[in-house]
Amino acid sequence: MSESIQITDSAQDYLAELLEKQNVEGIAVRIFITQPGTPYAETCLAYCRPGEEEPSDERLELEKIAVYLDKNSLAFLDEAVVDFNADRMGGQLTIKAPNAKMPKVNADSPLEDRVNYVLYSEINPGLAAHGGEIKLIELTEAQIAVLSFGGGCQGCAAVDITLKDGVERTLMERIPELGGIRDVTDHTDTTNAYYR
């Protein structure tokens, strides 16, 4: 069982009650993080009817409920606590996941997570001073990272030379299996190195 996440007794009681109201045999709770390892990480808790879980999910059998944990979110759920604080208004469920926004990657992590890690840990902090930010939009089948250059980088004449070169160099050094980078806004210019 994954020891990384703690679901307090009060949270289990509360969730067990909610699940019971759904009146679905075998219903569980699923916990996952959207955009893990980035500043936009959101920890989500959802009902999970039988068959709705992913085959790779880790199943936790707790005393009162069953919980599925998304495989890609596991590292980011380390030290997470799900708690329920009762109050006069009925109370609220809280999820604290201190590591959700922390990039945790290694050589086995999905390519997408590793690109995001380099962007968020090495590239974006340097751009923040200029109000710029780079986001990974998608990875193509050819392992080309399609990036969005936002904020102060957009429409800046130097973006082509300085940024793309620097970003491409950094990403390619850190992640050799990457096929290259492409700017999502760059639909017209076919002279760039991406197609060489």
Side-chain angles (χ1 to χ4, degrees):
M1 165 173 155
S2 169
E3 293 302 322
S4 62
I5 186 167
Q6 184 197 345
I7 301 177
T8 64
D9 287 345
S10 59
Q12 284 188 51
D13 287 339
Y14 175 70
L15 289 167
E17 214 173 287
L18 285 182
L19 291 175
E20 210 171 295
K21 286 182 183 150
Q22 298 303 304
N23 239 337
V24 175
E25 186 67 38
I27 191 168
V29 168
R30 186 167 190 269
I31 300 175
F32 56 96
I33 298 178
T34 57
Q35 300 194 57
T38 76
Y40 310 103
E42 295 279 343
T43 308
C44 307
L45 198 142
Y47 293 127
C48 187
R49 293 171 179 77
E52 286 182 343
E53 72 278 359
E54 295 288 332
S56 59
D57 281 356
E58 187 170 312
R59 183 179 165 97
L60 297 186
E61 285 293 344
L62 301 176
E63 207 179 311
K64 300 172 175 121
I65 56 172
V67 177
Y68 286 102
L69 299 176
D70 169 56
K71 179 174 177 279
N72 280 347
S73 302
L74 279 177
F76 302 95
L77 286 168
D78 199 26
E79 298 174 20
V81 178
V82 180
D83 194 13
F84 180 75
N85 298 315
D87 61 27
R88 289 199 309 274
M89 308 300 290
Q92 71 174 29
L93 193 70
T94 59
I95 306 174
K96 291 190 177 74
N99 293 305
K101 293 178 163 66
M102 292 295 292
K104 290 195 175 200
V105 295
N106 55 41
D108 300 328
S109 299
L111 200 55
E112 195 172 334
D113 289 358
R114 286 155 59 204
V115 170
N116 272 325
Y117 175 77
V118 175
L119 287 178
Y120 286 110
S121 63
E122 294 188 41
I123 293 170
N124 279 338
L127 297 177
H130 306 282
E133 180 186 47
I134 299 178
K135 278 193 197 130
L136 176 66
I137 303 300
E138 64 167 330
L139 268 176
T140 68
E141 280 175 30
Q143 308 293 41
I144 303 274
V146 179
L147 304 176
S148 152
F149 293 78
C153 310
Q154 229 165 358
C156 158
V159 71
D160 286 347
I161 308 145
T162 53
L163 208 51
K164 286 184 190 159
D165 284 358
V167 170
E168 183 158 29
R169 199 168 45 245
T170 305
L171 281 171
M172 301 299 283
E173 269 169 23
R174 302 283 184 275
I175 310 167
E177 62 266 50
L178 206 57
I181 70 162
R182 193 162 71 217
D183 180 353
V184 72
T185 58
D186 177 21
H187 299 302
T188 50
D189 188 356
T190 53
T191 60
N192 276 322
Y194 318 123
Y195 304 100
R196 262 212 300 260

